[in-house]
Amino acid sequence: MQTFKDTALEGVKLISLDPFEDHRGSYVELYNRAFYTENGLDVRFVEDDISTSERNVLRGIHGDTRTWKLISCLYGRFYLVVVNNDENSPQYRQWTSFTLSAENRLQVLVPPRFGNGHLVLSDKAIFHYKQSEYYNPEGQFTLKWDDPDLDIWWPMRNPVLSRRDEQGSW
């Protein structure tokens, strides 16, 4: 049974999918507009993106002020961090984390003004996300993954980073 659950951060939802398995393998429905609408999420997604990364790669923490993201792990396993970056929120700069994998079939819904970053825990992982807005690099913010004010716990100390993520800006 698919379920929607609230998380420690208001607006961030944890969604448990319901895979079908038999002797041939498994099948899972990643998105069904009717199900999401019935659960209070009437967001029109316009873009699907996938990134593949190897063990110890950390991507993020990125976000913008307009985009909803629905995040899934298609292959492997990663540690996902979501940070509230809404200056008007009482939870501003608070974060929560999840482990997503191809086996647990969890999804995380990330609202606008929240950043997300993930660290690959398996040899390889495929990160999938639906977006409610078309990607716009000019509208993005980047939070430094190891910002001491955020005090985020990561399962490793020396991840593989892009220049953007290492510097915390474009």
Side-chain angles (χ1 to χ4, degrees):
M1 177 173 76
Q2 293 179 312
T3 59
F4 260 66
K5 292 183 182 176
D6 292 328
T7 68
L9 293 180
E10 188 174 333
V12 176
K13 304 285 184 190
L14 182 64
I15 300 136
S16 178
L17 301 177
D18 189 19
F20 171 80
E21 296 184 23
D22 67 12
H23 67 281
R24 301 167 297 168
S26 65
Y27 167 87
V28 67
E29 183 177 75
L30 284 181
Y31 179 76
N32 179 308
R33 183 164 173 77
F35 172 73
Y36 285 78
T37 301
E38 288 169 15
N39 283 279
L41 178 68
D42 193 16
V43 173
R44 184 177 143 261
F45 291 103
V46 298
E47 184 174 305
D48 281 70
D49 296 297
I50 290 175
S51 72
T52 60
S53 301
E54 311 261 327
R55 183 182 300 276
N56 300 332
V57 168
L58 191 152
R59 292 181 182 256
I61 302 167
H62 309 147
D64 65 34
T65 61
R66 300 178 52 183
T67 305
W68 286 88
K69 294 179 185 173
L70 182 59
I71 298 171
S72 305
C73 180
L74 300 182
Y75 179 84
R77 186 167 62 104
F78 57 79
Y79 178 77
L80 177 71
V81 170
V82 179
V83 180
N84 182 329
N85 199 44
D86 182 353
E87 294 176 357
N88 297 316
S89 170
Q91 293 184 317
Y92 176 59
R93 308 271 292 174
Q94 291 181 27
W95 62 274
T96 191
S97 63
F98 311 90
T99 299
L100 274 62
S101 72
E103 287 76 32
N104 69 20
R105 294 296 184 196
L106 296 174
Q107 290 181 319
V108 176
L109 178 67
V110 179
R113 292 177 291 286
F114 284 67
N116 62 275
H118 68 281
L119 174 68
V120 176
L121 303 173
S122 54
D123 288 339
K124 185 175 188 174
I126 301 176
F127 178 93
H128 171 261
Y129 56 109
K130 300 181 86 54
Q131 296 191 125
S132 66
E133 300 288 328
Y134 295 106
Y135 178 67
N136 174 13
E138 289 79 39
Q140 292 271 306
F141 63 80
T142 300
L143 303 175
K144 201 155 185 318
W145 73 278
D146 61 350
D147 181 330
D149 292 333
L150 292 174
D151 194 29
I152 295 171
W153 181 85
W154 295 96
M156 75 165 313
R157 292 194 191 319
N158 298 305
V160 178
L161 301 164
S162 68
R163 179 172 294 147
R164 173 187 179 185
D165 295 334
E166 192 173 311
Q167 296 172 353
S169 65
W170 281 98

